[in-house]
Amino acid sequence: MELRLYDTLTREKRTFVPLDSDNVRMYVCGPTVYDFAHIGNARPVIVFDVLFRLLRHRYGENHVTYVRNITDVDDKINDRAVRDFPGLPLNEAIRKVTEVTANQFHADAKALGCLPPTFEPRATDFVLPRSDGKADMVTMIKQLIAGGHAYEAGGEVLFDVQSMPDYGKLSGRKLEEQLAGARVAVDAHKKNPADFVLWKQSSGDEPGWESPWGRGRPGWHIECSAMSAAYLGDVFDIHGGGLDLIFPHHENEIAQSRCAHGTATMANCWMHNGFVNVEDEKMSKSLGNFVTIRELLADWPGEVLRLNMLKTHYRSPIDWTLKGVEESAKTLDDWYWVAADTKGGAPSEAVIEALSDDLNTSQMIASLHGLRKSAASGNKRDRGAFAASLRLLGFLSESAAQWKSRKEQASGVDAKHVDSLISDRTAARARKDFRESDRIRDQLAAMGVVIKDSKDGTTWEIAR
Ligand SMILES: [Zn+2]
C-alpha cells in the first residue's frame, strides 16, 4: 500500500518516495516562544505528530528524523521580556520568557499525546558558525551574498528576489503582481519591494550577534533554512507547517535554501494544515475567542482535544466547538472502556490505509468505529487491532481505571459516595419505595452522575 501525500508546491496528491528509506526526513516550523500556544498552534503539532507516527510505522521507528525548531529570537519576545521583567537585564529577561514558554509548550504537546521530535533546535544556537560544523545563519547569508542573491543596504542584508527566476512558485504569487499590488510604501533601500530581510542591525539594548554586517540579529525565515540544513541536509523529504506560513515564510525559506545550496528543490513535499475557527468565527485576540491549549487542558484530557482535532481532515478548516469536544469526550470514554485494558495486537490495515491516503483521519475514525463494534461484540482479533491502532495514533496512554478516576476527580464526584447512594437506591427499589429511589436518582443527577439500570445491576458515569 503506497503512501500518498498532497504537495502544496505541485498542487497534487503524489506517491511519497523518500530520498533514503533508512532515514526519512521531515521538518516542521515550531513555535515562537513568547506566549502560551493557542488551539490554532496545536493543530500542526498534532497533525505532523500523526504523520511522524505513520512514517515510523511504515519505515521503522529509528528510520525517521523529525525536526521541529524553537524560534527564540524575535521582536515579540523582546517586547514581552521588557513588559514582564522590567527589572532584569534584557538578555536575562529574554531567557526567562523563552524558557518558561518553551517548557509550557512541551507540556502542552505531551498532554496532547505528541511524541517529542527527534531534534528540537533553538534558533539562537544556529546564528553564528558552530564548532560542530553544522549549518548556521551567518554562513548561509555569506553564501547568498557571494552568489549574487543578497545585498547589504540601509543597515540590513536583504534577499534579492529578482535573482531567483521562479520565486513565488509555492504561493503562486507572481513577482509582477506583487509589485502592481504593493500598497505599502516601498522601503527606499530595497531594490524590489518584495526583497526580505536576512539580517538586521540591533541597537545596544536589543539582542544581537557580531557579524560581518555589524552587530545584529537574523530575520525569521533564515532560521528555518539553516536549522533544516543542519539536521536534514540541503534537500529533504517533507516540510510542514500551517497554511498561514506558505507566504511569506515558506516561500522565502525555499528561496534562501535553494539559492544558498544551488539545488532545484528544498523539500520534496510541502504540507500545510488548515486554519482553526472557534464556534464558527475566526479566532482572534480582539474577538475574545482566543483559546489557549492550557485553558482547554484544564477542562479536558489532552487525548480528547487530540481526537477532536483529528475528526477534520488536516487540509480543511476546522470549526472548534464545545459540542464537538463533548462528542469527542464521549467517544473516547467509550473507546477506553472497550480497549484500554487490551494489550498486544497489530494496528488495523484499514486504519493504516486511511492514513496513507494523505492522512485521511475522518476515514480512519470511521474505521475505528467499525473496529470498536466488532471488538465489543467479542471479536478478539479486532479488539487487539482496535487497541493497537489507538495506541499507534497516540491514544490510550492510561488504563481504563485511570481514565475513569481522573474524570471523577475532575468532576469532583466522590465515587464511594456515589456507590453508597446507588446501593441505597437499589435497596429502596427492592422494597418498592419508588419515591425514595427516584429521589436518590435525582440527587445523583444533580451531582452530574448518570445511572444506567440493566439486568446485571446499576452502572454509572459522569455526565459532561
Ligand atoms: Zn519555518
Side-chain angles (χ1 to χ4, degrees):
M1 172 200 336
E2 28 179 55
L3 169 58
R4 289 167 64 77
L5 298 172
Y6 183 85
D7 174 24
T8 309
L9 187 62
T10 53
R11 290 160 178 77
E12 59 181 2
K13 214 197 270 188
R14 284 190 289 120
T15 301
F16 176 74
V17 182
L19 291 161
D20 173 4
S21 57
D22 278 338
N23 183 19
V24 181
R25 289 164 287 159
M26 171 164 79
Y27 186 92
V28 175
C29 296
T32 301
V33 284
Y34 72 101
D35 204 352
F36 290 124
H38 57 68
I39 193 66
N41 304 130
R43 196 170 191 193
V45 175
I46 294 171
V47 163
F48 291 104
D49 177 69
V50 169
L51 179 57
F52 182 38
R53 287 166 180 271
L54 175 66
L55 293 171
R56 282 159 51 106
H57 176 77
R58 295 184 66 107
Y59 296 97
E61 284 193 6
N62 300 318
H63 298 285
V64 184
T65 305
Y66 172 21
V67 178
R68 186 183 62 211
N69 70 295
I70 286 185
T71 293
D72 59 353
V73 50
D74 187 283
D75 291 352
K76 288 194 281 287
I77 298 175
N78 306 346
D79 296 345
R80 189 58 64 105
V82 170
R83 193 195 78 180
D84 290 358
F85 302 98
L88 284 184
L90 184 66
N91 278 344
E92 239 172 89
I94 286 174
R95 197 171 337 118
K96 284 223 156 146
V97 170
T98 57
E99 266 176 23
V100 168
T101 316
N103 289 343
Q104 182 58 47
F105 175 75
H106 288 144
D108 288 348
K110 188 168 182 235
L112 293 170
C114 299
L115 298 170
T118 322
F119 297 104
E120 200 170 33
R122 287 169 191 246
T124 50
D125 291 332
F126 290 82
V127 177
L128 298 178
R130 295 164 55 93
S131 56
D132 64 6
K134 281 194 164 71
D136 66 273
M137 299 175 216
V138 163
T139 304
M140 211 163 177
I141 296 170
K142 279 192 199 164
Q143 286 164 347
L144 289 169
I145 294 173
H149 295 289
Y151 60 96
E152 241 187 302
E156 295 177 331
V157 180
L158 294 151
F159 185 91
D160 181 352
V161 291
Q162 255 159 350
S163 74
M164 183 184 183
D166 58 351
Y167 177 82
K169 215 171 151 195
L170 181 73
S171 59
R173 295 183 186 215
K174 295 215 167 56
L175 218 41
E176 310 84 71
E177 289 169 11
Q178 288 181 49
L179 281 177
R183 292 204 191 122
V184 285
V186 176
D187 292 320
H189 65 291
K190 288 187 179 180
K191 287 191 197 169
N192 185 309
D195 290 353
F196 57 90
V197 170
L198 301 172
W199 189 265
K200 57 186 161 191
Q201 279 179 0
S202 293
S203 63
D205 54 359
E206 284 171 332
W209 290 261
E210 293 303 334
S211 80
W213 320 286
R215 185 176 172 279
R217 58 196 191 282
W220 172 34
H221 317 305
I222 194 74
E223 293 178 13
C224 289
S225 284
M227 287 184 279
S228 60
Y231 287 98
L232 303 176
D234 296 351
V235 181
F236 51 93
D237 296 298
I238 298 168
H239 193 312
L243 206 59
D244 52 328
L245 296 185
I246 293 177
F247 189 88
H249 185 53
H250 288 169
E251 194 74 82
N252 293 350
E253 277 189 40
I254 292 175
Q256 297 161 159
S257 293
R258 282 184 46 199
C259 291
H261 301 136
T263 54
T265 45
M266 176 183 183
N268 283 339
C269 184
W270 286 82
M271 294 177 69
H272 295 97
N273 63 270
F275 290 118
V276 176
N277 295 322
V278 172
E279 307 288 351
D280 221 10
E281 280 194 88
K282 191 172 184 265
M283 186 169 50
S284 80
K285 278 196 169 141
S286 56
L287 281 172
N289 63 352
F290 205 76
V291 193
T292 65
I293 304 171
R294 175 177 249 201
E295 285 164 341
L296 286 168
L297 286 173
D299 292 338
W300 308 94
E303 289 184 22
V304 168
L305 309 178
R306 183 177 178 89
L307 176 62
N308 198 53
M309 198 67 95
L310 295 178
K311 285 197 295 199
T312 306
H313 187 260
Y314 77 95
R315 283 195 281 125
S316 304
I318 185 170
D319 186 23
W320 188 270
T321 63
L322 178 61
K323 190 164 166 274
V325 180
E326 284 170 347
E327 280 167 11
S328 299
K330 267 197 197 130
T331 303
L332 213 51
D333 284 346
D334 174 64
W335 288 357
Y336 257 90
W337 177 68
V338 174
D341 295 334
T342 302
K343 299 277 177 270
S348 133
E349 281 291 303
V351 165
I352 300 301
E353 202 164 321
L355 284 178
S356 297
D357 177 20
D358 193 33
L359 302 185
N360 189 340
T361 50
S362 25
Q363 176 61 41
M364 167 200 90
I365 289 170
S367 302
L368 287 171
H369 283 306
L371 274 176
R372 182 256 173 239
K373 227 181 188 172
S374 55
S377 66
N379 183 322
K380 255 192 163 165
R381 212 186 65 120
D382 282 356
R383 183 184 289 262
F386 182 49
S389 303
L390 288 172
R391 290 202 175 89
L392 174 76
L393 293 163
F395 297 106
L396 305 190
S397 61
E398 299 178 2
S399 69
Q402 280 170 329
W403 184 261
K404 190 162 182 258
S405 84
R406 187 197 347 196
K407 201 172 160 194
E408 286 157 18
Q409 275 165 15
S411 65
V413 167
D414 176 353
K416 272 196 188 136
H417 182 46
V418 172
D419 286 339
S420 90
L421 283 172
I422 285 178
S423 65
D424 289 351
R425 176 172 169 271
T426 307
R429 273 156 55 104
R431 61 175 191 269
K432 298 206 163 23
D433 183 353
F434 296 114
R435 180 186 290 237
E436 174 64 3
S437 75
D438 285 352
R439 189 196 63 77
I440 296 174
R441 188 197 57 209
D442 292 346
Q443 185 184 346
L444 286 165
M447 290 161 62
V449 173
V450 179
I451 52 177
K452 222 190 242 169
D453 295 314
S454 74
K455 62 182 189 334
D456 301 323
T458 303
T459 55
W460 61 276
E461 60 175 28
I462 310 289
R464 283 221 73 137

